[in-house]
Amino acid sequence: MRYNRNESFRYQLTDFIDATFTVKVDEATLSRKGHAFINNISPNGLRFRTEYDLPADDTRLLLQLQFHLNRREIVMPGHISWKKKIGNQYEYGFEGTGNKVAKQQIIRGLKELSRIENKETP
């Protein structure tokens, strides 16, 4: 587990988590579902990669990410905080928008994941 100064904890995943996302403005969905891979995660945000070039400077746009963490379905709305091109993909920083249910599910899921990984380590 790696730590970020601005977070209580940020979990670096050993395997990517598959996710889907939609782009919204004022509750109106502007896109079909896109596919993404989550690299690391915390209760307040995450980092993901996708082939889609998403706008990172428009705070009106809301992304809604959906993914499973230890068999828990998590729906996390938020905004892109930064963007970086890597090869033919883009990597994004994503900040959640205060969804308390999603935060609690992420905390529980990460605790379970940590327990499972610690049992597998000799």
Side-chain angles (χ1 to χ4, degrees), residues 1 20 22 35-36 44-45 48 50 56 58 62 66 74 84 96 104:
M1 189 181 306
T20 59
T22 54
H35 188 255
N44 297 315
F48 71 93
T50 185
D58 191 345
L62 180 71
Q66 291 180 278
I74 298 173
K84 181 166 67 169
Q104 289 303 315

Side-chain angles (χ1 to χ4, degrees), residues 14 20 26 41 46 55 66 73 76-77 79 93 100 112 115:
T14 54
T20 59
D26 299 327
I41 188 168
L46 49 86
Q66 291 180 278
E73 183 179 22
M76 189 175 193
H79 301 280
K100 291 181 182 181
E112 291 169 3
R115 269 188 247 121

Side-chain angles (χ1 to χ4, degrees), residues 70-71 111-121:
N70 286 350
R71 298 175 303 278
K111 285 180 180 179
E112 291 169 3
L113 186 61
S114 180
R115 269 188 247 121
I116 291 167
E117 287 181 352
N118 286 334
K119 285 181 182 177
E120 292 174 358
T121 305

